PDB file of all heavy atoms in Angstrom:
ATOM      1  N   LEU Z 198     -37.605  41.947  92.554  1.00 97.00           N
ATOM      2  CA  LEU Z 198     -36.393  41.332  92.029  1.00 97.00           C
ATOM      3  C   LEU Z 198     -35.477  40.862  93.152  1.00 97.00           C
ATOM      4  O   LEU Z 198     -34.807  39.827  93.031  1.00 97.00           O
ATOM      5  CB  LEU Z 198     -35.668  42.323  91.118  1.00 97.00           C
ATOM      6  CG  LEU Z 198     -36.449  42.749  89.866  1.00 97.00           C
ATOM      7  CD1 LEU Z 198     -35.670  43.805  89.100  1.00 97.00           C
ATOM      8  CD2 LEU Z 198     -36.759  41.553  88.972  1.00 97.00           C
ATOM      9  N   GLU Z 199     -35.460  41.591  94.243  1.00 95.00           N
ATOM     10  CA  GLU Z 199     -34.655  41.169  95.393  1.00 95.00           C
ATOM     11  C   GLU Z 199     -35.177  39.850  95.955  1.00 95.00           C
ATOM     12  O   GLU Z 199     -34.398  38.943  96.278  1.00 95.00           O
ATOM     13  CB  GLU Z 199     -34.674  42.257  96.465  1.00 95.00           C
ATOM     14  CG  GLU Z 199     -33.792  41.941  97.656  1.00 95.00           C
ATOM     15  CD  GLU Z 199     -33.738  43.078  98.658  1.00 95.00           C
ATOM     16  OE1 GLU Z 199     -34.344  44.140  98.399  1.00 95.00           O
ATOM     17  OE2 GLU Z 199     -33.085  42.909  99.696  1.00 95.00           O
ATOM     18  N   ASP Z 200     -36.494  39.735  96.077  1.00 96.00           N
ATOM     19  CA  ASP Z 200     -37.081  38.483  96.565  1.00 96.00           C
ATOM     20  C   ASP Z 200     -36.775  37.333  95.601  1.00 96.00           C
ATOM     21  O   ASP Z 200     -36.487  36.205  96.031  1.00 96.00           O
ATOM     22  CB  ASP Z 200     -38.594  38.633  96.729  1.00 96.00           C
ATOM     23  CG  ASP Z 200     -38.978  39.540  97.890  1.00 96.00           C
ATOM     24  OD1 ASP Z 200     -38.108  39.824  98.743  1.00 96.00           O
ATOM     25  OD2 ASP Z 200     -40.151  39.969  97.936  1.00 96.00           O
ATOM     26  N   LEU Z 201     -36.846  37.617  94.311  1.00 96.00           N
ATOM     27  CA  LEU Z 201     -36.559  36.586  93.323  1.00 96.00           C
ATOM     28  C   LEU Z 201     -35.098  36.156  93.403  1.00 96.00           C
ATOM     29  O   LEU Z 201     -34.779  34.966  93.321  1.00 96.00           O
ATOM     30  CB  LEU Z 201     -36.890  37.095  91.924  1.00 96.00           C
ATOM     31  CG  LEU Z 201     -36.584  36.157  90.757  1.00 96.00           C
ATOM     32  CD1 LEU Z 201     -37.269  34.801  90.923  1.00 96.00           C
ATOM     33  CD2 LEU Z 201     -36.991  36.813  89.432  1.00 96.00           C
ATOM     34  N   ALA Z 202     -34.189  37.116  93.581  1.00 95.00           N
ATOM     35  CA  ALA Z 202     -32.767  36.795  93.698  1.00 95.00           C
ATOM     36  C   ALA Z 202     -32.510  35.894  94.898  1.00 95.00           C
ATOM     37  O   ALA Z 202     -31.720  34.951  94.827  1.00 95.00           O
ATOM     38  CB  ALA Z 202     -31.953  38.076  93.805  1.00 95.00           C
ATOM     39  N   THR Z 203     -33.190  36.174  95.988  1.00 93.00           N
ATOM     40  CA  THR Z 203     -33.051  35.332  97.174  1.00 93.00           C
ATOM     41  C   THR Z 203     -33.506  33.916  96.880  1.00 93.00           C
ATOM     42  O   THR Z 203     -32.870  32.934  97.289  1.00 93.00           O
ATOM     43  CB  THR Z 203     -33.873  35.918  98.339  1.00 93.00           C
ATOM     44  OG1 THR Z 203     -33.384  37.222  98.646  1.00 93.00           O
ATOM     45  CG2 THR Z 203     -33.772  35.041  99.576  1.00 93.00           C
ATOM     46  N   GLN Z 204     -34.607  33.788  96.148  1.00 93.00           N
ATOM     47  CA  GLN Z 204     -35.111  32.475  95.782  1.00 93.00           C
ATOM     48  C   GLN Z 204     -34.117  31.739  94.886  1.00 93.00           C
ATOM     49  O   GLN Z 204     -33.858  30.551  95.071  1.00 93.00           O
ATOM     50  CB  GLN Z 204     -36.459  32.606  95.079  1.00 93.00           C
ATOM     51  CG  GLN Z 204     -37.103  31.293  94.679  1.00 93.00           C
ATOM     52  CD  GLN Z 204     -37.440  30.421  95.872  1.00 93.00           C
ATOM     53  OE1 GLN Z 204     -37.926  30.911  96.886  1.00 93.00           O
ATOM     54  NE2 GLN Z 204     -37.164  29.131  95.783  1.00 93.00           N
ATOM     55  N   LEU Z 205     -33.551  32.451  93.912  1.00 93.00           N
ATOM     56  CA  LEU Z 205     -32.591  31.820  93.005  1.00 93.00           C
ATOM     57  C   LEU Z 205     -31.372  31.310  93.774  1.00 93.00           C
ATOM     58  O   LEU Z 205     -30.885  30.200  93.523  1.00 93.00           O
ATOM     59  CB  LEU Z 205     -32.150  32.800  91.924  1.00 93.00           C
ATOM     60  CG  LEU Z 205     -33.213  33.292  90.937  1.00 93.00           C
ATOM     61  CD1 LEU Z 205     -32.570  34.202  89.898  1.00 93.00           C
ATOM     62  CD2 LEU Z 205     -33.920  32.135  90.268  1.00 93.00           C
ATOM     63  N   ARG Z 206     -30.882  32.122  94.688  1.00 89.00           N
ATOM     64  CA  ARG Z 206     -29.713  31.703  95.460  1.00 89.00           C
ATOM     65  C   ARG Z 206     -30.014  30.464  96.293  1.00 89.00           C
ATOM     66  O   ARG Z 206     -29.162  29.603  96.477  1.00 89.00           O
ATOM     67  CB  ARG Z 206     -29.235  32.844  96.356  1.00 89.00           C
ATOM     68  CG  ARG Z 206     -28.549  33.985  95.598  1.00 89.00           C
ATOM     69  CD  ARG Z 206     -27.801  34.907  96.554  1.00 89.00           C
ATOM     70  NE  ARG Z 206     -28.708  35.555  97.499  1.00 89.00           N
ATOM     71  CZ  ARG Z 206     -29.261  36.745  97.292  1.00 89.00           C
ATOM     72  NH1 ARG Z 206     -29.001  37.415  96.166  1.00 89.00           N
ATOM     73  NH2 ARG Z 206     -30.076  37.278  98.187  1.00 89.00           N
ATOM     74  N   SER Z 207     -31.253  30.348  96.767  1.00 88.00           N
ATOM     75  CA  SER Z 207     -31.619  29.197  97.593  1.00 88.00           C
ATOM     76  C   SER Z 207     -31.659  27.909  96.781  1.00 88.00           C
ATOM     77  O   SER Z 207     -31.612  26.807  97.351  1.00 88.00           O
ATOM     78  CB  SER Z 207     -32.977  29.435  98.267  1.00 88.00           C
ATOM     79  OG  SER Z 207     -34.043  29.298  97.340  1.00 88.00           O
ATOM     80  N   GLU Z 208     -31.771  28.027  95.467  1.00 87.00           N
ATOM     81  CA  GLU Z 208     -31.876  26.841  94.611  1.00 87.00           C
ATOM     82  C   GLU Z 208     -30.531  26.356  94.103  1.00 87.00           C
ATOM     83  O   GLU Z 208     -30.461  25.300  93.466  1.00 87.00           O
ATOM     84  CB  GLU Z 208     -32.798  27.164  93.429  1.00 87.00           C
ATOM     85  CG  GLU Z 208     -34.245  27.393  93.857  1.00 87.00           C
ATOM     86  CD  GLU Z 208     -35.081  28.090  92.817  1.00 87.00           C
ATOM     87  OE1 GLU Z 208     -34.537  28.466  91.753  1.00 87.00           O
ATOM     88  OE2 GLU Z 208     -36.284  28.269  93.054  1.00 87.00           O
ATOM     89  N   ILE Z 209     -29.470  27.105  94.371  1.00 85.00           N
ATOM     90  CA  ILE Z 209     -28.152  26.691  93.906  1.00 85.00           C
ATOM     91  C   ILE Z 209     -27.823  25.322  94.489  1.00 85.00           C
ATOM     92  O   ILE Z 209     -27.945  25.082  95.682  1.00 85.00           O
ATOM     93  CB  ILE Z 209     -27.084  27.722  94.315  1.00 85.00           C
ATOM     94  CG1 ILE Z 209     -27.284  29.028  93.544  1.00 85.00           C
ATOM     95  CG2 ILE Z 209     -25.684  27.171  94.053  1.00 85.00           C
ATOM     96  CD1 ILE Z 209     -26.329  30.125  93.941  1.00 85.00           C
ATOM     97  N   GLY Z 210     -27.411  24.432  93.642  1.00 83.00           N
ATOM     98  CA  GLY Z 210     -27.047  23.096  94.084  1.00 83.00           C
ATOM     99  C   GLY Z 210     -28.163  22.080  93.960  1.00 83.00           C
ATOM    100  O   GLY Z 210     -27.905  20.876  94.010  1.00 83.00           O
ATOM    101  N   SER Z 211     -29.404  22.538  93.794  1.00 84.00           N
ATOM    102  CA  SER Z 211     -30.520  21.595  93.715  1.00 84.00           C
ATOM    103  C   SER Z 211     -31.031  21.392  92.299  1.00 84.00           C
ATOM    104  O   SER Z 211     -31.658  20.368  92.005  1.00 84.00           O
ATOM    105  CB  SER Z 211     -31.679  22.072  94.595  1.00 84.00           C
ATOM    106  OG  SER Z 211     -32.191  23.315  94.122  1.00 84.00           O
ATOM    107  N   ALA Z 212     -30.799  22.355  91.421  1.00 89.00           N
ATOM    108  CA  ALA Z 212     -31.339  22.270  90.064  1.00 89.00           C
ATOM    109  C   ALA Z 212     -30.636  23.290  89.180  1.00 89.00           C
ATOM    110  O   ALA Z 212     -30.090  24.283  89.671  1.00 89.00           O
ATOM    111  CB  ALA Z 212     -32.842  22.541  90.063  1.00 89.00           C
ATOM    112  N   GLU Z 213     -30.668  23.047  87.868  1.00 93.00           N
ATOM    113  CA  GLU Z 213     -30.313  24.093  86.914  1.00 93.00           C
ATOM    114  C   GLU Z 213     -31.494  25.052  86.847  1.00 93.00           C
ATOM    115  O   GLU Z 213     -32.639  24.634  86.696  1.00 93.00           O
ATOM    116  CB  GLU Z 213     -30.028  23.520  85.542  1.00 93.00           C
ATOM    117  CG  GLU Z 213     -29.716  24.614  84.515  1.00 93.00           C
ATOM    118  CD  GLU Z 213     -29.376  24.072  83.133  1.00 93.00           C
ATOM    119  OE1 GLU Z 213     -29.206  22.852  83.002  1.00 93.00           O
ATOM    120  OE2 GLU Z 213     -29.284  24.906  82.210  1.00 93.00           O
ATOM    121  N   THR Z 214     -31.213  26.337  86.999  1.00 95.00           N
ATOM    122  CA  THR Z 214     -32.278  27.329  87.070  1.00 95.00           C
ATOM    123  C   THR Z 214     -32.148  28.331  85.940  1.00 95.00           C
ATOM    124  O   THR Z 214     -31.071  28.881  85.703  1.00 95.00           O
ATOM    125  CB  THR Z 214     -32.236  28.062  88.421  1.00 95.00           C
ATOM    126  OG1 THR Z 214     -32.497  27.129  89.473  1.00 95.00           O
ATOM    127  CG2 THR Z 214     -33.288  29.159  88.480  1.00 95.00           C
ATOM    128  N   TRP Z 215     -33.262  28.562  85.260  1.00 97.00           N
ATOM    129  CA  TRP Z 215     -33.371  29.608  84.250  1.00 97.00           C
ATOM    130  C   TRP Z 215     -34.402  30.624  84.728  1.00 97.00           C
ATOM    131  O   TRP Z 215     -35.433  30.253  85.307  1.00 97.00           O
ATOM    132  CB  TRP Z 215     -33.848  29.034  82.924  1.00 97.00           C
ATOM    133  CG  TRP Z 215     -32.816  28.283  82.131  1.00 97.00           C
ATOM    134  CD1 TRP Z 215     -32.109  27.188  82.538  1.00 97.00           C
ATOM    135  CD2 TRP Z 215     -32.406  28.558  80.784  1.00 97.00           C
ATOM    136  NE1 TRP Z 215     -31.282  26.760  81.528  1.00 97.00           N
ATOM    137  CE2 TRP Z 215     -31.446  27.578  80.442  1.00 97.00           C
ATOM    138  CE3 TRP Z 215     -32.773  29.513  79.843  1.00 97.00           C
ATOM    139  CZ2 TRP Z 215     -30.834  27.540  79.192  1.00 97.00           C
ATOM    140  CZ3 TRP Z 215     -32.174  29.474  78.590  1.00 97.00           C
ATOM    141  CH2 TRP Z 215     -31.208  28.507  78.278  1.00 97.00           C
ATOM    142  N   CYS Z 216     -34.128  31.893  84.455  1.00 97.00           N
ATOM    143  CA  CYS Z 216     -35.117  32.932  84.700  1.00 97.00           C
ATOM    144  C   CYS Z 216     -35.146  33.842  83.483  1.00 97.00           C
ATOM    145  O   CYS Z 216     -34.151  34.521  83.182  1.00 97.00           O
ATOM    146  CB  CYS Z 216     -34.791  33.734  85.958  1.00 97.00           C
ATOM    147  SG  CYS Z 216     -36.098  34.915  86.382  1.00 97.00           S
ATOM    148  N   ILE Z 217     -36.264  33.831  82.778  1.00 98.00           N
ATOM    149  CA  ILE Z 217     -36.419  34.591  81.540  1.00 98.00           C
ATOM    150  C   ILE Z 217     -37.463  35.678  81.745  1.00 98.00           C
ATOM    151  O   ILE Z 217     -38.573  35.418  82.212  1.00 98.00           O
ATOM    152  CB  ILE Z 217     -36.851  33.673  80.379  1.00 98.00           C
ATOM    153  CG1 ILE Z 217     -35.769  32.624  80.082  1.00 98.00           C
ATOM    154  CG2 ILE Z 217     -37.176  34.494  79.134  1.00 98.00           C
ATOM    155  CD1 ILE Z 217     -34.472  33.210  79.538  1.00 98.00           C
ATOM    156  N   PHE Z 218     -37.100  36.904  81.385  1.00 98.00           N
ATOM    157  CA  PHE Z 218     -38.036  38.025  81.442  1.00 98.00           C
ATOM    158  C   PHE Z 218     -38.658  38.218  80.065  1.00 98.00           C
ATOM    159  O   PHE Z 218     -37.955  38.361  79.066  1.00 98.00           O
ATOM    160  CB  PHE Z 218     -37.329  39.296  81.907  1.00 98.00           C
ATOM    161  CG  PHE Z 218     -36.961  39.272  83.364  1.00 98.00           C
ATOM    162  CD1 PHE Z 218     -35.707  38.837  83.766  1.00 98.00           C
ATOM    163  CD2 PHE Z 218     -37.877  39.668  84.330  1.00 98.00           C
ATOM    164  CE1 PHE Z 218     -35.367  38.798  85.111  1.00 98.00           C
ATOM    165  CE2 PHE Z 218     -37.554  39.630  85.680  1.00 98.00           C
ATOM    166  CZ  PHE Z 218     -36.290  39.195  86.074  1.00 98.00           C
ATOM    167  N   ASP Z 219     -39.991  38.234  80.067  1.00 97.00           N
ATOM    168  CA  ASP Z 219     -40.754  38.316  78.825  1.00 97.00           C
ATOM    169  C   ASP Z 219     -41.488  39.659  78.703  1.00 97.00           C
ATOM    170  O   ASP Z 219     -42.302  39.835  77.810  1.00 97.00           O
ATOM    171  CB  ASP Z 219     -41.748  37.150  78.779  1.00 97.00           C
ATOM    172  CG  ASP Z 219     -42.443  37.010  77.438  1.00 97.00           C
ATOM    173  OD1 ASP Z 219     -41.817  37.326  76.410  1.00 97.00           O
ATOM    174  OD2 ASP Z 219     -43.622  36.602  77.417  1.00 97.00           O
TER     175      ASP Z 219
END
Side-chain angles (χ1 to χ4, degrees):
L198 297 176
E199 184 176 357
D200 290 345
L201 177 56
T203 299
Q204 181 63 42
L205 296 183
R206 287 194 297 267
S207 75
E208 293 163 357
I209 292 177
S211 63
E213 177 178 351
T214 296
W215 284 58
C216 186
I217 297 294
F218 288 93
D219 189 32

